[in-house]
Structures are given as structure tokens and as C-alpha cells.
């Protein structure tokens, strides 16, 4: 049951994150996709959207560039 809940939550986060990325709402995309990318390293669409959104979301000391890799 818990695994199912986790899967549903990741699916919802993925949809929200990809939607935010498509709207160029990069901070929202980063927030929504962070767990998805960590939990599903084979999801290349989510990984691309996360990396591109992270790169486009400035952080102190240019940390966003390193985190996008």
C-alpha cells in the first residue's frame, strides 16, 4: 500500500513538474521534479526537464549550474 502511495505521489509530481517546465515556471519544475529524478534515474524526460530548469533557476554562488549536472 505504501509503495502504491509513493508511486502515485511520484507520478503526480512528474506531471506537475513537466507542466511547470513547459510553462517556463522553472522554480516550480525544480521543486516538483527533484524527488522524481532521485527515485527514477531512468526517466530521461524528467531528468532533462529538471536539469534545464535547475540551470535556469539562479542560486547563490552559481550552485544551480553544478546541481544541473
Amino acid at each position: 500500500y505504501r509503495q502504491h502511495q509513493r508511486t502515485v505521489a511520484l507520478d503526480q509530481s512528474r506531471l506537475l513538474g513537466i507542466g511547470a517546465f513547459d510553462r517556463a515556471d522553472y522554480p516550480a519544475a525544480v521543486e516538483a521534479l527533484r524527488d522524481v529524478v532521485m527515485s527514477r534515474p531512468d526517466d530521461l524526460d524528467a531528468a532533462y526537464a529538471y536539469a534545464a530548469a535547475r540551470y535556469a533557476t539562479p542560486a547563490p554562488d552559481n550552485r544551480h549550474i553544478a546541481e544541473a549536472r
Side-chain angles (χ1 to χ4, degrees), residues 10-59:
L10 286 171
D11 289 346
Q12 290 174 340
S13 291
R14 185 185 188 283
L15 286 173
L16 290 172
I18 297 294
F21 177 77
D22 289 343
R23 292 187 311 278
D25 185 355
Y26 300 128
V30 167
E31 185 68 29
L33 292 171
R34 182 175 288 124
D35 285 343
V36 176
V37 171
M38 297 297 287
S39 298
R40 298 177 177 171
D42 59 332
D43 187 339
L44 300 182
D45 291 332
Y48 172 81
Y50 175 79
R54 187 68 195 106
Y55 185 80
T57 306

